[in-house]
């Protein structure tokens, strides 16, 4: 397979998996809340007052606790697993094609070199 085809297929697969496996999960619950008003544009003027009376800058507030993060990750892993085990089913592929129409409107993905660094992998290491 030539590099351009490989990149095109990988980009399409990344977008369809994000659309079907990550969107409409618990992430939507986090997104659905009220967005605070900021006059500075960077939320430096926004604070959360908690039940203990602490005034916490918006940038330092955790927006989900460990239980919610665990639930979200389980949901996403289960969807990714389901996607992979269903990807050879013709009915599933038909539905995935419909979702692909929506995801085609998204920006093209870019190689995440920071991610590769975090996992200790650099391009070309597979050949070593």
């Amino acid at each position: 397979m030539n590099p351009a085809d490989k990149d095109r297929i990988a980009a399409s697969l990344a977008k369809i998996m994000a659309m079907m496996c990550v969107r409409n999960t618990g992430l939507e619950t986090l997104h659905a809340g009220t967005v605070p008003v900021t006059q500075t544009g960077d939320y430096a003027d926004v604070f959360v007052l908690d039940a203990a009376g602490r005034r916490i800058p918006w940038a330092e507030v955790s927006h989900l606790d460990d239980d919610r993060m665990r639930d979200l990750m389980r949901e996403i892993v289960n969807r990714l697993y389901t996607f992979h085990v269903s990807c050879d089913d013709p009915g599933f592929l038909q539905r995935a094609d419909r979702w692909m129409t929506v995801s085609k409107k998204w920006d093209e993905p870019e190689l995440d070199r920071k991610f590769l660094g975090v996992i200790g992998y650099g391009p070309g290491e597979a050949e070593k």
Side-chain angles (χ1 to χ4, degrees):
M1 180 181 312
N2 71 47
D5 286 343
K6 181 181 174 187
D7 285 349
R8 181 182 47 77
I9 292 167
S12 292
L13 186 58
K15 290 194 293 186
I16 193 63
M17 289 177 71
M19 172 65 76
M20 293 178 69
C21 302
V22 180
R23 290 279 319 240
N24 302 316
T25 62
L27 203 55
E28 295 296 333
T29 303
L30 294 172
H31 182 252
T34 303
V35 177
V37 175
T38 176
Q39 293 179 350
T40 61
D42 63 358
Y43 295 89
D45 57 340
V46 176
F47 298 87
V48 172
L49 184 62
D50 74 4
R54 297 180 300 173
R55 187 172 183 251
I56 308 167
W58 183 255
E60 296 175 21
V61 172
S62 174
H63 297 275
L64 65 161
D65 61 19
D66 287 344
D67 288 337
R68 287 181 74 185
M69 182 65 167
R70 190 176 307 107
D71 291 344
L72 177 61
M73 293 310 301
R74 280 187 186 125
E75 185 177 14
I76 292 170
V77 167
N78 289 343
R79 285 183 178 207
L80 289 166
Y81 172 76
T82 302
F83 184 97
H84 284 292
V85 299
S86 302
C87 67
D88 62 348
D89 177 272
F92 179 83
L93 291 174
Q94 269 187 328
R95 285 168 181 79
D97 281 344
R98 290 186 206 140
W99 286 94
M100 182 71 77
T101 305
V102 177
S103 69
K104 283 182 180 179
K105 298 174 185 174
W106 290 7
D107 295 342
E108 288 302 309
E110 299 176 2
L111 188 65
D112 187 339
R113 295 192 186 284
K114 184 176 179 182
F115 166 70
L116 294 176
V118 167
I119 65 169
Y121 178 81
E125 281 195 33
E127 294 94 36
K128 291 180 184 175

